[in-house]
Amino acid sequence: MWTKRKIAKIILGGISIGLLANQFFNVSRLKIDNLTNRFLQYKGTNQEPNKVVVKDISLELPTTDIYLEADPIKRDSVKGAFQHAWSAYERDAFGFDEYHPISRTGSNLSRSKGIGYTIIDSLDTIQLMGLTEEYRRAREWIKSELTFEVDDKFNTFETTIRVLGGLLSSYYLSSNPFNQNIALHEPDALFLDLAADLGERLLSSFSTNSGLPLSYVNLKERLGIPDKDNGGFISTAEAASLQIEFKWLAELLEDPVYWTKSERVLQIIKDSPKMDGLTPIFIDPRVNQFYFSQIRLGSRADSYYEYLLKQYLQTGKSEHVYKEMYDEACKGIKRHLVKISQGPKKLIHTIELAPSRRDNRPEYRPYNKQDHLVCFLPGLLMLGVHQGKDELDQKKMTIQEHENWWVGTELLKTCYDTYNSTESGLSPEIIHFHPIGDPLSLKEDWFIKRSENSKVDLLDGRYILRPETVESIFIAFRLTGDAKYREWGWQIFQSIEKHAKIQTGGYASIKDVDQLPVVYEDKMETFLLSETFKYLYLLFEDSTIAPLDKVVFNTEAHLFPIFEPSFKSNLI
């Protein structure tokens, strides 16, 4: 175990930070004039950076609450694409957790049997689309075949957001809140009973001295299992992205144990030193402090920030601590992670902070990459400003709100550009940025990292049917009514149809977004059905369906109603 010691200041884009390392850190306040109002824009390799004063930029905002009519032709085209994917899965792999559309086979996450990953993850999309027969057959499988008595380990986070979240969302939608003409018009107890069964099993992951949930759980044995691959450390996002599901389950069952167990995680995070609200991606459960690891907005971090805001919204803005933590994190994101490319488009983007050591002292250094996963952030920033208000008035905005809205809209342009600038019209998994001073940084705003033999990196150039950009496009359209967002979403959908669609049924991941004709990877991720097609469908649906002032979406796009807690909240 490290001993506590203060380390030297480090340079990050001209910003010095102080770090204390004992498997955690503490950061001194940065002393830069008006930093929260400014972003750095580099125009040349040998020049001092210019300042972009965000508070002086005029924002395009809706002035009143808006009703958005459906575009039935495009909406039904997305529904048809969903049916193309679902019917292939139902034909070839019904009941299996995952689907492989090229080999036309299914596979399970466990060695024995599945737990309904694809069916449950897709069911609320089926409900929203009003697909009566598909719903009937899926519900019958759930009723007759689904069991959680499976003697194998399952990821706590993934099982919570996909399966528990899917069951709870289908329970909510079974009361037909948006008049989709598919339900019983009263909640279907089948889904709540299964959610209660699964929730009780997942609670076993919290049976630790630290109160932090273990990464895996044996559902049959009701036993939490640590992640040996990561030395027993716990992912920040995975531990801090169970709360929306567990809190709604607690409310439905009138059992506060789900609330208190999941909220304990946020208490630990709140009490731990952070870098202006930013957290490393791992927590050490032995000391309940952050482990010196990457700081980023992609994997193992993303949904932590997402759930801060959404917990606040989910309980009717009653838990102010989460809004405060979210606001602090937004300041940290803008201060440390937001940059502007030097290329011709001058794109707002994010970077990561990578841990390293110099003279045996830990420090963070910038790593100029952005994952597709980060594209959830534009919509989140805009949602955090809007919060269901009847109107947005720039004159009444705080500086923080003004900045967040501008960064959100600009970052969404970047996310869309990663689609619009490739040969296939689909976005790579990871993009990189040239360091300041590299002549290439003036010629191209971003690039896909490739190996020496010109073969695309196995991870970086893939498109695996991810939803984050269309999620933010959906939110941006709902909040602004700006038609360009529907145009962007339609362009992305057409590229999916052209390049990812398998004619015999289903959709497949693509190995290289800049290679035509495309080369497929034989897997159809469940989030295509639960998220990507759902957000695209809702983008073209009218705004009375899943209105953002009435529901919150979990990180797998499952819908939860905004509610007033019936028992004491604000536990931290």
Side-chain angles (χ1 to χ4, degrees), residues 97-98 109 115-124 155-170 198 202 241-242 245 307 464 466 523-528 530-531 554-558 560:
D97 288 333
E98 297 182 326
L109 299 174
I115 57 171
Y117 250 54
T118 294
I119 292 177
I120 296 172
D121 216 9
S122 308
L123 190 60
D124 60 355
N155 184 275
T156 304
F157 164 72
E158 296 289 355
T159 306
T160 298
I161 65 169
R162 298 186 190 219
V163 185
L164 180 62
L167 289 168
L168 291 172
S169 181
S170 287
L198 178 58
L202 290 169
S241 305
L242 314 171
E245 297 82 3
Y307 273 37
I464 62 171
R466 282 205 182 276
K523 187 174 184 180
M524 186 176 82
E525 297 281 357
T526 68
F527 49 66
L528 172 72
S530 66
E531 298 186 75
N554 83 339
T555 198
E556 190 72 9
H558 296 307
F560 293 76

Side-chain angles (χ1 to χ4, degrees), residues 419-477:
Y419 282 82
N420 197 44
S421 298
T422 66
E423 291 295 321
S424 64
L426 298 170
S427 177
E429 183 76 355
I430 296 172
I431 60 173
H432 292 259
F433 305 89
H434 298 290
I436 294 169
D438 187 332
L440 288 175
S441 66
L442 301 178
K443 297 180 180 180
E444 57 183 0
D445 289 275
W446 57 268
F447 66 97
I448 302 172
K449 189 176 181 180
R450 298 178 180 274
S451 60
E452 293 181 357
N453 62 2
S454 298
K455 298 281 187 172
V456 71
D457 184 273
L458 177 63
L459 177 62
D460 289 11
R462 295 185 303 161
Y463 173 69
I464 62 171
L465 310 169
R466 282 205 182 276
E468 290 79 19
T469 296
V470 294
E471 172 187 358
S472 285
I473 287 173
F474 158 70
I475 294 172
F477 178 70

Side-chain angles (χ1 to χ4, degrees), residues 45 67 75 145 148 154 160 208 241 264 321 410 420 435 447:
T45 57
Y67 166 72
R75 178 197 62 194
E145 300 292 336
F148 298 123
F154 294 86
T160 298
T208 60
S241 305
R264 168 64 178 153
V321 63
E410 291 297 312
N420 197 44
F447 66 97

Side-chain angles (χ1 to χ4, degrees), residues 508-526:
S509 301
I510 292 169
K511 291 185 176 182
D512 184 349
V513 296
D514 271 336
Q515 178 182 339
L516 295 179
V518 298
V519 177
Y520 294 117
E521 184 176 353
D522 189 16
K523 187 174 184 180
M524 186 176 82
E525 297 281 357
T526 68

Side-chain angles (χ1 to χ4, degrees), residues 16-76:
S16 297
I17 63 174
L19 187 66
L20 292 176
N22 180 18
Q23 295 182 350
F24 69 98
F25 57 87
N26 186 23
V27 181
S28 61
R29 299 301 301 174
L30 307 183
K31 298 180 180 179
I32 295 184
D33 182 43
N34 295 326
L35 182 61
T36 57
N37 297 343
R38 303 173 187 270
F39 295 91
L40 300 183
Q41 180 175 15
Y42 296 94
K43 287 193 171 181
T45 57
N46 297 315
Q47 296 176 333
E48 288 296 318
N50 292 329
K51 306 286 186 179
V52 177
V53 184
V54 179
K55 67 182 180 63
D56 294 339
I57 295 177
S58 178
L59 305 178
E60 296 182 3
L61 300 171
T63 56
T64 59
D65 191 19
I66 51 179
Y67 166 72
L68 303 169
E69 294 184 350
D71 183 331
I73 294 176
K74 292 183 172 65
R75 178 197 62 194
D76 291 346

Side-chain angles (χ1 to χ4, degrees), residues 314-434:
Q314 180 189 27
T315 54
K317 307 177 188 177
S318 64
E319 298 180 288
H320 296 283
V321 63
Y322 297 120
K323 181 60 163 55
E324 293 167 3
M325 294 171 71
Y326 169 78
D327 286 341
E328 182 187 15
C330 285
K331 292 177 182 178
I333 289 169
K334 292 178 293 185
R335 178 170 291 183
H336 300 289
L337 303 181
V338 173
K339 303 293 179 184
I340 300 181
S341 68
Q342 303 172 75
K345 297 177 183 177
K346 300 295 185 289
L347 297 174
I348 286 285
H349 65 89
T350 64
I351 64 168
E352 300 180 357
L353 302 182
S356 63
R357 302 187 71 84
R358 177 184 294 178
D359 299 329
N360 204 34
R361 294 175 300 189
E363 66 176 24
Y364 278 101
R365 295 186 177 183
Y367 185 26
N368 296 321
K369 67 180 277 281
Q370 177 178 296
D371 295 358
H372 190 292
L373 287 167
V374 176
C375 288
F376 83 97
L377 185 61
L380 187 75
L381 290 171
M382 297 175 74
L383 184 63
V385 175
H386 193 279
Q387 295 181 39
K389 297 183 179 76
D390 290 335
E391 63 176 350
L392 290 177
D393 186 345
Q394 182 171 329
K395 295 179 181 179
K396 296 179 181 178
M397 280 185 175
T398 65
I399 292 176
Q400 170 93 327
E401 290 174 332
H402 192 129
E403 289 174 356
N404 288 358
W405 187 272
W406 183 79
V407 172
T409 56
E410 291 297 312
L411 184 57
L412 185 50
K413 292 178 185 177
T414 304
C415 291
Y416 176 64
D417 189 73
T418 65
Y419 282 82
N420 197 44
S421 298
T422 66
E423 291 295 321
S424 64
L426 298 170
S427 177
E429 183 76 355
I430 296 172
I431 60 173
H432 292 259
F433 305 89
H434 298 290

Side-chain angles (χ1 to χ4, degrees), residues 62 66 68 476-485:
I66 51 179
L68 303 169
F477 178 70
R478 283 290 182 93
L479 298 184
T480 68
D482 191 331
K484 74 180 178 186
Y485 293 120

